[in-house]
Amino acid sequence: MENFSAILAEAIGLILAGDPTMIAIILLSLKVTLTAVAVSCVIGYPLGAMIGAFRFPLRTPIIVVLNTMMGLPPVVVGLVVYLMLSAAGPLGPLRLLYTPTAMIIAQTILVTPIIAALTRQTIEDLHMEYAEQFASLGVGPWRRVAALLWDARYSLLTVALAGFGRAAAEVGAVIIVGGNINHVTRVMTTTIALETSKGNLELALALGLVLLTIAMFVNGLVYAIRGSAARAAYA
């Protein structure tokens, strides 16, 4: 087996050379992950905000279920989505199994509870500060939710980042519903697992480095946005 330094050098060489196969895998990974996170935010932000801002019957059990769903086993989610999309399943006629859309659905199911639960906590804490003002001004429920979401927008970027991290690192669910088909549903995480088992450590490490770089870039971008917002607020 080659030593680590030689494998690392070859991996960096693949990245710098812009290997077409690797680029296609990276682009598909970003498409699937970013779409899933966007859909999860559209669902999770309002859901978490409503649970955090209002008191209603069964609120506590809903919070417990939501927090529990943050730890959903990916392979279980993959199995459920597989059964729903298979030929014998209720959504079989849509022919979505082994497509990027199936992978997006699986990731959305995994990420939405994380987005909703973290949003709920953020909005609940913020609502405690504004509750009396809302009551005195007679702000309606929908305007209240909108105001809280807008005021917490920078904190919610961090929430979205947490969802992105979960989606970007996902293997179990996407390999079940996507099938890891070359040039169709092969993404970075599934390729890393496959190429490592085949002994092609250079490509696996190259994709791992790209995945880490993307995560660091997104994290740095969110940090920079929050820093700019904080400086503007005190300017």
Side-chain angles (χ1 to χ4, degrees):
M1 179 181 289
E2 299 177 82
N3 59 44
F4 177 77
S5 58
I7 295 173
L8 178 61
E10 292 188 38
I12 294 174
L14 285 174
I15 296 172
L16 296 177
D19 181 71
T21 299
M22 187 177 69
I23 291 176
I25 292 170
I26 294 169
L27 292 177
L28 179 60
S29 299
L30 290 174
K31 174 185 175 182
V32 170
T33 300
L34 292 175
T35 303
V37 172
V39 174
S40 297
C41 288
V42 169
I43 299 171
Y45 282 164
L47 176 62
M50 287 188 289
I51 296 173
F54 304 119
R55 299 295 183 269
F56 50 87
L58 301 179
R59 179 178 181 271
T60 298
I62 290 174
I63 293 175
V64 171
V65 171
L66 196 60
N67 290 339
T68 301
M69 290 179 67
M70 292 177 67
L72 281 174
V75 290
V76 174
V77 172
L79 176 60
V80 172
V81 176
Y82 177 90
L83 293 173
M84 295 291 289
L85 300 181
S86 65
L91 301 179
L94 297 178
R95 299 180 181 273
L96 295 178
L97 194 61
Y98 302 136
T99 66
T101 302
M103 299 161 69
I104 291 170
I105 293 172
Q107 287 195 356
T108 299
I109 293 173
L110 286 168
V111 173
T112 299
I114 296 174
I115 299 290
L118 295 178
T119 299
R120 192 275 307 171
Q121 186 61 62
T122 300
I123 296 301
E124 184 173 339
D125 294 342
L126 191 62
H127 184 260
M128 292 176 65
E129 300 179 21
Y130 294 160
E132 292 184 2
Q133 295 181 25
F134 286 146
S136 63
L137 295 173
V139 178
W142 293 112
R143 290 182 60 193
R144 183 177 303 189
V145 169
L148 289 169
L149 285 172
W150 176 254
D151 199 62
R153 61 192 181 280
Y154 297 112
S155 297
L156 295 180
L157 283 175
T158 305
V159 172
L161 177 61
F164 177 85
R166 174 65 183 267
E170 177 48 40
V171 181
V174 296
I175 203 169
I176 291 175
V177 301
N180 200 22
I181 303 170
N182 196 21
H183 302 301
V184 180
T185 58
R186 188 163 292 176
V187 293
M188 283 190 282
T189 51
T190 59
T191 304
I192 290 171
L194 175 65
E195 297 302 327
T196 300
S197 66
K198 290 166 57 178
N200 187 4
L201 301 179
E202 295 80 8
L203 179 56
L205 183 57
L207 289 171
L209 292 173
V210 171
L211 192 58
L212 285 173
T213 302
I214 291 172
M216 290 178 62
F217 173 77
V218 173
N219 192 17
L221 182 62
V222 171
Y223 184 82
I225 292 173
R226 294 189 66 180
S228 299
R231 287 192 294 272
Y234 290 101

